[in-house]
Amino acid sequence: MTLPKRVTITDVAEAAGVAASTVSRALSTPGRVNATTRDHILEVAERLGYVPNPSARAMSSGRTHTFALLVPDITNPYFAGAIKGAERAAAAAGKTLVLGDTQESPSVERELVQRLGPAVDGLVIAAARGTDEDLAAAAGRHRLALVNRTLPGVAGVPSVVADYDAGTRQIVDHLVSLGHESLVFLAGPHESWSGARRWAGLLAAAESSGVAARRLGPYQPTLQGGPAAADAALAARATAIVCHNDMLAIGVLRRLAGRGVRVPDDVSVVGFDDMFGADFCQPALTTLAERTEDAGACAIDLLLRPGSAATVVVPTQLKVRDSTGPCR
Amino acid sequence: MTLPKRVTITDVAEAAGVAASTVSRALSTPGRVNATTRDHILEVAERLGYVPNPSARAMSSGRTHTFALLVPDITNPYFAGAIKGAERAAAAAGKTLVLGDTQESPSVERELVQRLGPAVDGLVIAAARGTDEDLAAAAGRHRLALVNRTLPGVAGVPSVVADYDAGTRQIVDHLVSLGHESLVFLAGPHESWSGARRWAGLLAAAESSGVAARRLGPYQPTLQGGPAAADAALAARATAIVCHNDMLAIGVLRRLAGRGVRVPDDVSVVGFDDMFGADFCQPALTTLAERTEDAGACAIDLLLRPGSAATVVVPTQLKVRDSTGPCR
DNA sequence: TTGAAAGCGCTAACAG
DNA sequence: CTGTTAGCGCTTTCAA
């Protein structure tokens, strides 16, 4: 099966009886072309089925009209929102989005930055796993925006972060209103930037409310991390358990059920992320929702409009469901 | 913040004291270059941090080393596997994967094919929503591979499909062994190719086993579709409900629980997909698992090796969990 | 084995 | 407002 040869701008120019550059202008800066000739050109282009060659366009203009989004694990539903938001923002701006899976690995992340960087107008790294140095190096070579990570000391790297301070405040207030006087935080990996922010926020909010907060872990932030984490929380006689993320929280829920501990009667459980499934697990999970789709879209917007090298804070929202209740 | 100018092949050539074409050869066809000069060139390229410009490469070679994957909804966990598999297969081959979200819309799908097609070496469309004509047109212009869809009558379009015949057979056998003598299929959208295949397989298997099968619907294949679907199944006095997919099945489960119908004591429920969450919903869902990651990877492989215009069948596997039990 | 040279398709000065 | 003319960075003949 042979594919038909592509229609080029020259074909259109010939067919329309104008110069190639005029066709180019008619397409990219319609204002600078006589309305009649423009309409004619567009009509001819349409008829011939002309589609500009992105590579050629990139060659001469220097812009690829493409962005890359790097996530630690594509299959993790937590990132689905950011991916969708980024894809939508990119598509809305007529841009293409390239997706990269860093497999939770700093080195794969570095490689991808190097491989994809030259092919795109900018990179979004969500939940970057690399060191500050890695990211600074990347920022030196490419336009970069971060999601749920900041790069202190390096100017010009915009980022979008969830409002964990307000969010953890909400969690603590919620638990306090239920009569809880202490909480246990089941931590995820030490390297996790958002994990650190979550714990810091929780600790600050707890202190200001006179709630005792303890951190246990680190645990695997997965279903498999649940048993060890749940057992530790139980051993610590926790009445309220706040988990690094929903995956771990659901794992904890299962373990508690397996051990005959009732949620929320015996113990309350809170997660982070409001991940897909958090509403239909048993019991439905109280969790801090991040607007990940907005975050993804916002990161692309930051790339689209350079100069706005700000840190954008996206609000979070506590979803109260069935896994939290009055302190026993 | 200004980004440093990229190192080009000419820079490397000058620094190494050779012609640009020699550098090009040293990089892409190392065999055709004197070992000593080649090593020298590679060393210089490395030192200068040279990374080939993909657009320029695409311009002259015609190949972009990029594939596109189109899915109906990026946030649907069902597609996460295919995305990951495709990304991995592409990365393993040194290719780049572009992701497109067709928003479940045939027209967006068409647009994306047109927009992305020229920029890539091939397209994978998963669960294509377009008509056969749309797909035939796409196949005429681009290298194409399909996942869970076939294109009868159009040669040269390879596809990867789940083995629904064997899978539905497994479902029916499972229900029969539990004493069920009839089943109700809660259908998804009529346009769904896989929905049609699922029902056809179910019907054939049921007939050959002397099981009565009825189809109700169509229902929204989402949690929201659950109530209407569950109520209809109840009205039909079903003892075994097979749902178009896990989303719908979980929606059905929730509705049944809400109405006080016990699963699996009063009625058995089966889903399709073994989606993320199917194991931690309540009760854990018996469902037909597809190896979506393999399917995604396989589709990319089909694109990588033209000529193998086959239909690849990926096995399915029934995961028996807690939502199915003996007929009441 | 290597270099010179001709483009790939498009955009961006620069004239006219 | 439009045509001419250079390239963008790379691959690929074609000679040497």
Side-chain angles (χ1 to χ4, degrees):
Chain A
M1 192 190 67
T2 65
L3 300 175
K5 221 170 105 275
R6 295 274 312 282
V7 178
T8 74
I9 202 171
T10 324
D11 299 331
V12 177
E14 272 181 18
V18 296
S21 52
T22 309
V23 177
S24 174
R25 275 187 292 259
L27 262 38
S28 40
T29 49
R32 298 193 189 174
V33 173
N34 177 294
T36 323
T37 34
R38 182 188 58 214
D39 290 346
H40 178 223
I41 290 171
L42 294 181
E43 192 264 321
V44 171
E46 169 76 8
R47 181 160 51 74
L48 263 46
Y50 169 70
V51 184
N53 179 324
S55 305
R57 180 172 275 190
M59 281 254 40
S60 45
S61 69
R63 273 156 290 114
T64 61
H65 300 277
T66 301
F67 294 114
L69 170 64
L70 268 36
V71 297
D73 176 8
I74 294 177
T75 51
N76 185 333
Y78 171 66
F79 296 112
I83 296 175
K84 179 148 197 147
E87 205 275 340
R88 223 162 48 182
K95 310 298 183 186
T96 300
L97 188 73
V98 167
L99 188 63
D101 187 327
T102 66
Q103 299 169 54
E104 304 276 0
S105 149
S107 63
V108 175
E109 188 175 292
R110 264 197 311 272
E111 272 170 38
L112 278 174
V113 166
Q114 179 168 1
R115 214 165 61 75
L116 260 28
V120 302
D121 292 340
L123 296 151
V124 175
I125 311 186
R129 302 303 195 221
T131 63
D132 284 1
E133 290 70 43
D134 288 338
L135 296 178
R141 287 183 228 298
H142 315 285
R143 279 205 56 75
L144 189 64
L146 300 173
V147 174
N148 274 0
R149 171 89 180 240
T150 54
L151 198 50
V154 179
V157 180
S159 55
V160 185
V161 299
D163 191 351
Y164 290 128
D165 290 336
T168 47
R169 174 85 262 162
Q170 288 181 59
I171 292 174
V172 170
D173 288 347
H174 172 60
L175 292 175
V176 165
S177 79
L178 290 169
H180 292 272
E181 295 174 343
S182 67
L183 66 83
V184 163
F185 179 67
L186 300 177
H190 273 331
E191 318 83 65
S192 167
W193 184 91
S194 57
R197 298 301 314 276
R198 289 165 182 191
W199 168 239
L202 226 35
L203 196 58
E207 274 182 1
S208 82
S209 296
V211 166
R214 280 179 62 188
R215 174 166 61 167
L216 303 180
Y219 301 103
Q220 256 188 84
T222 61
L223 286 185
Q224 288 70 44
D231 289 355
L234 250 25
R237 308 175 144 277
T239 67
I241 302 175
V242 181
C243 301
H244 171 264
N245 67 6
D246 285 351
M247 268 322 244
L248 179 59
I250 292 173
V252 164
L253 247 27
R254 301 179 90 181
R255 176 61 168 192
L256 294 176
R259 291 192 50 176
V261 178
R262 292 163 308 160
V263 176
D265 299 341
D266 297 329
V267 63
S268 290
V269 176
V270 180
F272 278 92
D273 296 347
D274 191 26
M275 173 190 79
F276 179 89
D279 57 337
F280 62 73
C281 63
Q282 197 65 22
L285 190 65
T286 293
T287 183
L288 189 73
E290 292 178 30
R291 309 235 306 262
T292 55
E293 202 162 319
D294 289 349
C298 185
I300 293 292
D301 285 341
L302 287 172
L303 250 22
L304 284 167
R305 305 188 251 72
S308 51
T311 294
V312 178
V313 177
V314 178
T316 55
Q317 184 187 359
L318 184 67
K319 304 265 187 177
V320 176
R321 300 208 180 93
D322 309 328
S323 66
T324 45
C327 186
R328 65 154 182 268
Chain B
M1 192 190 64
T2 64
L3 301 175
K5 218 168 110 278
R6 295 273 312 283
V7 177
T8 74
I9 201 171
T10 323
D11 300 331
V12 177
E14 272 181 19
V18 297
S21 50
T22 307
V23 176
S24 174
R25 275 187 292 260
L27 262 37
S28 40
T29 49
R32 296 194 190 174
V33 171
N34 177 296
T36 323
T37 34
R38 181 188 59 214
D39 291 346
H40 177 224
I41 290 171
L42 294 182
E43 192 263 320
V44 171
E46 169 75 8
R47 181 160 51 75
L48 263 46
Y50 169 71
V51 185
N53 179 323
S55 306
R57 180 172 274 190
M59 282 252 39
S60 44
S61 70
R63 274 156 290 112
T64 62
H65 300 278
T66 300
F67 294 115
L69 170 65
L70 268 36
V71 298
D73 177 8
I74 293 177
T75 51
N76 185 332
Y78 172 65
F79 295 111
I83 296 175
K84 179 146 197 151
E87 206 276 340
R88 225 161 50 182
K95 310 297 182 183
T96 300
L97 188 72
V98 167
L99 188 63
D101 186 327
T102 66
Q103 300 169 52
E104 305 277 359
S105 150
S107 62
V108 175
E109 187 174 295
R110 264 196 311 273
E111 272 170 40
L112 277 175
V113 167
Q114 179 168 2
R115 214 164 63 73
L116 260 29
V120 302
D121 292 341
L123 296 150
V124 175
I125 311 186
R129 301 304 194 218
T131 63
D132 283 2
E133 289 72 42
D134 289 338
L135 296 179
R141 287 182 228 297
H142 315 284
R143 280 205 56 77
L144 189 64
L146 301 173
V147 174
N148 274 358
R149 170 90 180 239
T150 55
L151 200 49
V154 179
V157 180
S159 54
V160 185
V161 298
D163 191 352
Y164 290 128
D165 289 335
T168 49
R169 173 86 262 163
Q170 288 180 60
I171 292 174
V172 170
D173 286 349
H174 173 61
L175 293 175
V176 165
S177 78
L178 291 169
H180 293 271
E181 296 175 342
S182 68
L183 65 84
V184 163
F185 179 67
L186 300 177
H190 272 332
E191 317 83 64
S192 166
W193 184 90
S194 56
R197 298 299 315 275
R198 289 164 182 194
W199 169 239
L202 227 33
L203 195 57
E207 272 182 2
S208 81
S209 298
V211 166
R214 280 178 63 188
R215 173 167 61 168
L216 303 178
Y219 301 102
Q220 256 188 84
T222 61
L223 286 185
Q224 288 70 44
D231 289 356
L234 250 25
R237 308 174 145 277
T239 66
I241 301 175
V242 181
C243 301
H244 171 263
N245 67 6
D246 286 351
M247 272 317 249
L248 179 59
I250 291 172
V252 164
L253 246 28
R254 302 180 90 181
R255 176 62 167 192
L256 293 176
R259 290 191 52 176
V261 178
R262 293 165 306 161
V263 176
D265 299 342
D266 297 329
V267 62
S268 290
V269 175
V270 179
F272 278 92
D273 296 347
D274 191 26
M275 174 190 79
F276 180 90
D279 57 337
F280 62 72
C281 63
Q282 197 64 20
L285 190 65
T286 293
T287 182
L288 190 73
E290 294 177 30
R291 309 236 305 263
T292 55
E293 201 162 321
D294 289 349
C298 184
I300 293 293
D301 285 341
L302 287 172
L303 250 23
L304 284 167
R305 304 187 255 75
S308 51
T311 293
V312 177
V313 176
V314 179
T316 55
Q317 183 187 359
L318 185 66
K319 304 266 186 177
V320 175
R321 299 205 180 96
D322 309 328
S323 65
T324 45
C327 185
R328 67 155 179 269

